[in-house]
Amino acid sequence: MHTTEKIVIRSSSLPSYADCSRRTAGKLLAKELAALGITLRETSQGVGAALGSSTHQAAAYSLNSKINDGSLGNATQAMDLAFELYHEIQKTEGIVYDGATPTYDRAELQLKTLVNTYRSKVAPGITPVEVEVRLEADIGDGFVLSGQFDVREIESIRDLKTGAASRAHISQYGSYALLCRVHGRTVEQIVEDYLPRKKEPEPEYFYYDAEVAVNAARAILKRIKDDVAAFRESGEPTSFIANPQSMLCSDRFCPVWGTAFCREHKNKGEKE
Ligand code: SF4
């Protein structure tokens, strides 16, 4: 198996690769798998991811305003931007609700709360220099790393997370730091601004040393390269470790669930 097209690795896929390499490899190698007759399944977005992306819209608007004139901009406009994206995701991909957000009405309330809390409690403490800048770097062997950080301060990067529970994303942050360094930006520290998806979210802040994060990112990038090379050599999906214990191991969230690329998931009620 041979391809000349470069594979683009998104920063956000690094923690996912550590969670289930097979699932993330399926997305990375979609074209190569299609050539082998394996078509990825359509998947929906979880409500957590949809609320997160939508809150980011309002955050980016607010921080860009702060760069321009020191204010957080118009509150209604920030909220409208968040809801525009939420409705767009709902229309184009579909949103799967969960225990923390079981209905649209609850999602609507949570999105309003997340945006208002971000603007009143998190954004005032940020001194933005750049907002949502995408950077890319050729990392060799036919791979390109591509990542878009949320906001950069003078010597740090900040990333907003809004999950039902806080999870670590150090390799994602490390890849942002790596990209910033390649493009002449100094990053000494990474700060995660975490807003829990609940009725009265209180912001929490998690701090990561950039060096530790960069090393975590490098380790996963190396593993991706090695695993892809092994797969191209053998054609064996087991070149990528599958993790059926992953929270995202389901027909709704995994694009290779039940395909010839992965049949390691639980298989209720069906004899193989
Ligand atoms: S079906 Fe489960 S184990 Fe297999 S790739 Fe998807 S998430 Fe991983």
Side-chain angles (χ1 to χ4, degrees):
M1 203 183 309
H2 180 68
T3 177
T4 51
E5 202 170 317
K6 295 207 180 216
I7 292 183
V8 178
I9 302 174
R10 302 252 170 194
S11 294
S12 54
S13 70
L14 267 54
S16 168
Y17 196 79
D19 179 42
C20 179
S21 301
R22 187 88 55 88
R23 182 183 64 236
T24 309
K27 295 180 198 173
L28 283 175
L29 301 178
K31 284 187 185 164
E32 285 178 47
L33 295 184
L36 295 170
I38 300 168
T39 310
L40 300 198
R41 303 158 44 91
E42 295 275 324
T43 52
S44 302
Q45 256 205 48
V47 64
L51 286 172
S53 304
S54 305
T55 308
H56 273 83
Q57 289 292 97
Y61 162 78
S62 306
L63 295 179
N64 272 319
S65 298
K66 200 168 181 180
I67 291 174
N68 291 337
D69 63 14
S71 84
L72 293 179
N74 183 282
T76 307
Q77 198 171 338
M79 197 63 81
D80 286 350
L81 285 167
F83 274 94
E84 253 170 48
L85 182 62
Y86 190 86
H87 293 140
E88 180 65 23
I89 296 169
Q90 196 170 40
K91 206 168 99 186
T92 54
E93 294 179 50
I95 292 174
V96 179
Y97 290 90
D98 63 20
T101 314
T103 61
Y104 173 80
D105 288 353
R106 187 74 68 83
E108 190 178 13
L109 273 179
Q110 285 174 342
L111 186 52
K112 283 182 184 167
T113 306
L114 286 167
V115 170
N116 286 333
T117 309
Y118 183 82
R119 284 173 53 86
S120 63
K121 295 187 174 173
V122 180
I126 297 176
T127 310
V129 175
E130 289 182 307
V131 175
E132 294 204 343
V133 174
R134 179 162 294 282
L135 299 172
E136 293 194 344
D138 191 321
I139 55 169
D141 305 316
F143 292 85
V144 170
L145 177 63
S146 173
Q148 178 173 298
F149 57 75
D150 285 354
V151 54
R152 186 174 69 82
E153 295 179 303
I154 290 175
E155 291 195 336
S156 63
I157 287 173
R158 302 184 75 112
D159 197 77
L160 170 65
K161 293 280 185 252
T162 60
S166 168
R167 303 171 76 195
H169 299 83
I170 187 167
S171 54
Q172 177 183 352
Y173 305 151
S175 74
Y176 293 149
L178 204 53
L179 287 166
C180 280
R181 289 175 181 182
V182 168
H183 290 275
R185 292 157 167 89
T186 304
V187 178
E188 300 294 344
Q189 190 179 59
I190 296 135
V191 186
E192 180 180 306
D193 302 316
Y194 172 62
L195 284 178
R197 186 165 32 118
K198 59 185 187 187
K199 208 170 174 187
E200 289 176 13
E202 200 50 47
E204 289 178 53
Y205 303 97
F206 298 93
Y207 297 85
Y208 296 93
D209 179 87
E211 214 48 55
V212 177
V214 163
N215 287 338
R218 280 203 173 110
I220 294 180
L221 291 170
K222 179 179 183 311
R223 186 60 63 89
I224 292 175
K225 287 184 180 184
D226 291 349
D227 291 351
V228 169
F231 175 68
R232 285 176 174 163
E233 179 78 27
S234 68
E236 286 295 332
T238 49
S239 306
F240 305 102
I241 300 287
N243 177 17
Q245 290 197 333
S246 165
M247 301 257 294
L248 297 178
C249 185
S250 83
D251 55 346
R252 282 180 160 179
F253 298 124
C254 177
V256 297
W257 189 98
T259 69
F261 197 58
C262 189
R263 308 182 77 183
E264 297 189 24
H265 52 81
K266 273 189 176 177
N267 207 3
K268 194 178 174 190
E270 273 183 46
K271 256 189 173 173
E272 283 290 302

